[in-house]
Amino acid sequence: MLRSMTIEQLSTPCAMVDLDRLERNATAMSERARRLGVRLRPHVKTHKCIEAARLQTAGGHAGITVSTLAEAHAFAAAGFRDITWAVPVALDRLDDCSDLARRTEHFRLLVDHPDAVAGLEAFAAAQSLRFEVLLEVDCGHHRSGVDPDDPEAVRVAASIGASPHLALAGILTHAGQSYHCRSRAEAAEVARHERDVMAAFAGRLRAAGISVGEISVGSTPTVTAAEDLSGVTEVRPGNYLFFDAFQAAIGSCRLDEVAFSVLATVLGAYPERRELVVNAGALALSKDPGPIHVDPSCGYGVVVDPSDQHPIAGLRVVSISQEHGVLHSDRPLEPSWQPGSRLRILPNHACLAAACFDRYQVVRGAELVDEWRPVRGW
Amino acid sequence: MLRSMTIEQLSTPCAMVDLDRLERNATAMSERARRLGVRLRPHVKTHKCIEAARLQTAGGHAGITVSTLAEAHAFAAAGFRDITWAVPVALDRLDDCSDLARRTEHFRLLVDHPDAVAGLEAFAAAQSLRFEVLLEVDCGHHRSGVDPDDPEAVRVAASIGASPHLALAGILTHAGQSYHCRSRAEAAEVARHERDVMAAFAGRLRAAGISVGEISVGSTPTVTAAEDLSGVTEVRPGNYLFFDAFQAAIGSCRLDEVAFSVLATVLGAYPERRELVVNAGALALSKDPGPIHVDPSCGYGVVVDPSDQHPIAGLRVVSISQEHGVLHSDRPLEPSWQPGSRLRILPNHACLAAACFDRYQVVRGAELVDEWRPVRGW
């Protein structure tokens, strides 16, 4: 039996998951999806943990979204049977894809280019396989996806539908531009646009005689802000389970809903320049610049009390190097901030910070209740 | 016997180490240290690999520098007996430190604060240990270290020397401000300052009757540019073994000396906006902004030909998200850049990019000759 441990006994720097907050975030998103009348296919890329994905899918549909084939393999091995790989397919990884297609009920691949369709089809034909394919649509993020206003997009969809080796499972988009929003109201506007683009494109496909099953949209900012998702069949938020300082700054959540933090130890205190050095640097927090469009002086995360996670006013992570975090205080340093004392930091971007760790310490309040091991690599 | 493999067979994204370049970088730095009359105590934080450290120390002194206790444990287990932990000691990790002090000939700890000295001394007394201690000096980086012009600095050194449980091994500094340099000439100036500060402080300590053994300076930009290190006993560069796009931009190396790269596959080509999407994002390149003070449009690394590593003019990594890298070209896309084709990227900051991977593919030209496993965690 595990000896009862508390936060004080943890070695630092370490990644902490607040299980109470995590469960609330999971439940709130499940309820939100139900209210909006869409299926929730959570993205597991933020946490990459089987245990966390089970909490996310407890309430309903068990389908998940992954960002890497390493995640797909690990989650398939753990019993997840309905997996969407929401990054355009890499044509040099098709052996992995055929393996996953055989081991699951649904393994959906993303394409946005006729050459990718051709490559996928040739491989599937040679292997006597049939791949389920989603056509990625660019709804304004301009990273990947077909232009829905270009007639070529309809032709690509038709070519998928016409292939005996590919099945058009539907269309998918990611409104990544929502990360430029400054408020929940702005994100709601992006969510409306995301839905409108997808509904209109689905209409054009249907008018061309192409059957469209899934209409999948994503992003934590848009899904947490969306008011009406008529015409959409599923949502794929991922970050919402952890949330982070960025999501709080743009209004996706409150700071007291952030379930992921990094525990750090003070290495040095420099009262004359009101600075502390802690042992959480770029390899523990990531170097994500955070919500600088909302707060140019945000630094590399929000510093909170190690016990109650209450934000410490005026204390900012002003710079980071590989293993050092430099914190600056607007007021004289507290006498309790001495070498050996601890602070907790809510990172700017939980997806990147979590990827710095090979295990998460799962806590309820001050008590350590579990340790989770995320999937790493590709 | 390992079947002969080539770069083409590697799965992407992956980290590649060019062994020819690595060996040249190791030899050049050993020769440089010898010419400058100082011992080389390489920092292993960039690569965190036993094999790479053996190459770095082949020519002489076998002492190394580490950034984490995880590195210290792994390198001690591999037979390294002289280790300096060049981050201010964390007072909640002293059990590890005593273990390492017992298992090595020299395990040196860094302090810069009377409270850390007191904590270290109390622990060592209770354990009947004697810790070797280096006093960290701030030579202008203003991250950690005592102010060498403050009389308090001499008192801290004296208190270490006077303790029966601590031995003052010497003084140490890291001129991290060299990363703001724009040229090798500027870095040479910082190197002069770094040496002058340390030599003067050592003089003041000796005048106060305090014996000073080691006078240790660091940073790849200053060591590669230094012209005279009289008064210094050892140098601790780390990045130089890999180098990276940042070091090339500020003149520490040429681009064709960079030994670390990330191999990526093209996922999508968008000729209308002259963009490519590759499968190397923030989790493969890190989100280090790079040498923006030299080139504001540097992006997230230098794109090179996958075979000859020749830089591809006008092709830049303009944005990255978790698993996507977006490349923009100044000229029309090459027809060979199609989904499934490959590119290689020299990351901005090799220390952070290398930490994204749990193995490195070691190559000579196009041939895969080894796979190295870096140490992870703390």
Side-chain angles (χ1 to χ4, degrees):
Chain A
M1 213 173 70
L2 201 71
R3 201 167 36 126
S4 167
M5 268 183 73
T6 64
I7 293 178
E8 285 73 31
Q9 294 160 279
L10 289 171
S11 181
T12 66
C14 68
M16 294 170 68
V17 172
D18 182 314
L19 194 51
D20 292 321
R21 292 183 179 186
L22 193 87
E23 288 172 348
R24 281 197 293 270
N25 294 343
T27 304
M29 185 58 82
S30 294
E31 283 172 4
R32 168 157 265 278
R34 202 172 304 124
R35 248 188 353 261
L36 288 164
V38 293
R39 280 189 302 278
L40 173 62
R41 180 189 286 278
H43 210 314
V44 302
K45 78 185 180 87
T46 303
H47 54 77
K48 304 190 185 218
C49 274
I50 306 299
E51 297 88 339
R54 291 219 172 98
L55 285 172
Q56 281 176 299
T57 53
H61 183 59
I64 58 168
T65 312
V66 300
S67 67
T68 66
L69 289 168
E71 290 165 31
H73 282 297
F75 282 83
F80 287 85
R81 316 283 303 153
D82 180 358
I83 300 175
T84 292
W85 182 24
V87 173
V89 62
L91 292 178
D92 51 6
R93 298 295 299 272
L94 297 184
D95 283 328
D96 285 274
C97 297
S98 75
D99 179 39
L100 284 157
R102 289 195 169 96
R103 290 170 58 207
T104 57
E105 282 168 36
H106 299 286
F107 181 64
R108 291 172 171 178
L109 297 171
L110 204 59
V111 300
D112 72 347
H113 196 284
D115 286 357
V117 174
L120 211 51
E121 189 176 28
F123 181 92
Q127 301 266 316
S128 303
L129 263 175
R130 191 153 185 253
F131 280 128
E132 290 185 56
V133 175
L134 290 155
L135 179 63
E136 185 177 10
V137 175
D138 179 2
C139 71
H141 186 208
H142 306 322
R143 183 178 69 180
S144 48
V146 294
D147 175 354
D149 295 323
D150 183 344
E152 172 72 8
V154 178
R155 281 196 291 273
V156 177
S159 74
I160 298 167
S163 166
H165 299 289
L166 305 177
L168 182 67
I171 58 177
L172 176 150
T173 197
H174 169 65
Q177 70 269 35
S178 61
Y179 283 79
H180 302 304
C181 290
R182 304 168 65 93
S183 68
R184 199 178 183 93
E186 283 182 24
E189 187 54 49
V190 176
R192 261 191 297 278
H193 178 71
E194 184 182 27
R195 181 209 55 188
D196 290 348
V197 167
M198 294 300 274
F201 184 59
R204 279 200 291 286
L205 292 180
R206 287 172 182 141
I210 301 165
S211 150
V212 185
E214 204 76 86
I215 299 176
S216 176
V217 304
S219 111
T220 286
T222 52
V223 179
T224 52
E227 287 148 7
D228 178 4
L229 289 178
S230 310
V232 163
T233 61
E234 71 169 21
V235 292
R236 307 181 322 282
N239 180 281
Y240 77 93
L241 196 64
F242 280 173
F243 283 131
D244 52 32
F246 188 103
Q247 299 285 353
I250 66 167
S252 305
C253 65
R254 298 187 315 266
L255 272 179
D256 67 6
E257 292 173 313
V258 177
F260 181 86
S261 59
V262 172
L263 187 67
T265 297
V266 174
L267 305 180
Y270 310 89
E272 63 289 357
R273 57 177 199 258
R274 294 183 175 174
E275 285 186 348
L276 301 173
V277 167
V278 300
N279 64 347
L283 289 198
L285 299 172
S286 92
K287 219 162 170 175
D288 195 286
I292 43 176
H293 66 300
V294 177
D295 175 10
S297 67
C298 61
Y300 292 95
V302 173
V303 188
V304 301
D305 181 276
S307 304
D308 65 13
Q309 297 188 73
H310 198 80
I312 299 174
L315 190 61
R316 289 172 303 123
V317 188
V318 289
S319 74
I320 49 175
S321 41
Q322 186 164 343
E323 297 294 350
H324 299 70
V326 179
L327 278 51
H328 182 272
S329 175
D330 288 349
R331 51 191 86 167
L333 298 185
E334 296 287 335
S336 62
W337 298 337
Q338 287 299 323
S341 68
R342 287 165 169 210
L343 290 166
R344 209 157 152 180
I345 299 168
L346 311 180
N348 281 338
H349 191 166
C351 309
L352 303 192
C356 294
F357 296 87
D358 65 357
R359 63 197 70 191
Y360 309 147
Q361 307 303 326
V362 184
V363 299
R364 284 203 196 269
E367 196 194 351
L368 184 69
V369 296
D370 209 346
E371 182 178 275
W372 292 347
R373 303 285 184 118
V375 180
R376 289 286 162 258
W378 294 271
Chain B
M1 213 173 71
L2 200 72
R3 204 167 33 129
S4 169
M5 265 183 74
T6 65
I7 294 179
E8 284 73 32
Q9 294 161 278
L10 289 171
S11 181
T12 66
C14 68
M16 294 172 67
V17 172
D18 183 313
L19 194 52
D20 292 321
R21 292 184 178 186
L22 192 88
E23 288 171 349
R24 281 198 293 271
N25 294 343
T27 303
M29 185 57 82
S30 294
E31 284 171 3
R32 168 158 265 276
R34 202 172 303 125
R35 253 192 342 267
L36 288 163
V38 293
R39 282 190 300 278
L40 173 63
R41 180 188 287 279
H43 211 313
V44 303
K45 77 183 181 89
T46 302
H47 54 76
K48 304 191 185 216
C49 274
I50 306 300
E51 297 89 338
R54 292 221 171 98
L55 286 171
Q56 282 176 298
T57 54
H61 183 61
I64 58 168
T65 312
V66 301
S67 66
T68 66
L69 290 168
E71 290 165 31
H73 282 297
F75 283 83
F80 287 85
R81 316 281 304 152
D82 181 358
I83 299 175
T84 292
W85 181 25
V87 173
V89 61
L91 292 178
D92 51 6
R93 297 295 300 273
L94 297 184
D95 284 327
D96 286 274
C97 297
S98 76
D99 179 39
L100 285 158
R102 289 195 169 95
R103 291 171 57 206
T104 56
E105 282 168 38
H106 299 287
F107 181 64
R108 292 172 169 178
L109 297 170
L110 205 58
V111 299
D112 73 347
H113 197 284
D115 287 358
V117 175
L120 212 50
E121 190 177 26
F123 181 91
Q127 301 266 316
S128 304
L129 263 175
R130 192 154 183 250
F131 280 128
E132 290 185 57
V133 174
L134 291 155
L135 179 63
E136 184 177 11
V137 176
D138 180 2
C139 72
H141 187 208
H142 306 323
R143 183 178 67 179
S144 47
V146 294
D147 176 354
D149 296 323
D150 184 344
E152 172 73 8
V154 178
R155 282 196 290 274
V156 178
S159 75
I160 297 168
S163 166
H165 299 291
L166 306 176
L168 183 66
I171 58 176
L172 176 150
T173 197
H174 169 66
Q177 70 269 35
S178 61
Y179 283 79
H180 302 303
C181 291
R182 303 168 66 90
S183 68
R184 199 177 183 94
E186 284 183 22
E189 187 55 50
V190 176
R192 262 191 297 280
H193 178 73
E194 182 180 31
R195 182 209 55 187
D196 291 348
V197 167
M198 295 301 274
F201 184 59
R204 279 201 291 286
L205 292 181
R206 287 173 182 140
I210 301 165
S211 150
V212 185
E214 203 75 87
I215 299 176
S216 177
V217 304
S219 110
T220 285
T222 53
V223 179
T224 51
E227 288 147 6
D228 178 4
L229 289 178
S230 310
V232 163
T233 61
E234 71 168 22
V235 293
R236 308 180 323 280
N239 180 280
Y240 76 93
L241 196 65
F242 280 173
F243 283 132
D244 52 32
F246 188 103
Q247 298 285 353
I250 66 167
S252 305
C253 66
R254 301 187 312 267
L255 271 180
D256 67 7
E257 292 173 315
V258 177
F260 180 86
S261 58
V262 172
L263 187 67
T265 298
V266 174
L267 306 180
Y270 310 89
E272 64 289 357
R273 57 177 199 258
R274 294 183 175 175
E275 285 186 348
L276 301 172
V277 167
V278 300
N279 64 348
L283 289 197
L285 299 172
S286 91
K287 217 161 171 175
D288 195 285
I292 44 175
H293 64 302
V294 177
D295 175 9
S297 67
C298 60
Y300 292 94
V302 172
V303 188
V304 301
D305 181 276
S307 304
D308 65 14
Q309 296 188 74
H310 199 79
I312 299 173
L315 190 61
R316 291 173 303 124
V317 187
V318 289
S319 74
I320 48 176
S321 41
Q322 185 163 343
E323 298 294 349
H324 299 71
V326 179
L327 279 50
H328 182 271
S329 175
D330 288 350
R331 52 193 82 167
L333 297 185
E334 296 287 335
S336 62
W337 298 336
Q338 285 301 323
S341 67
R342 285 163 172 212
L343 290 165
R344 208 157 153 180
I345 299 168
L346 312 180
N348 281 337
H349 191 166
C351 309
L352 302 193
C356 294
F357 295 88
D358 66 356
R359 63 196 72 191
Y360 308 148
Q361 308 303 325
V362 184
V363 300
R364 283 202 197 272
E367 197 193 351
L368 184 69
V369 295
D370 210 345
E371 183 177 276
W372 292 349
R373 301 285 183 119
V375 180
R376 288 286 162 257
W378 294 270

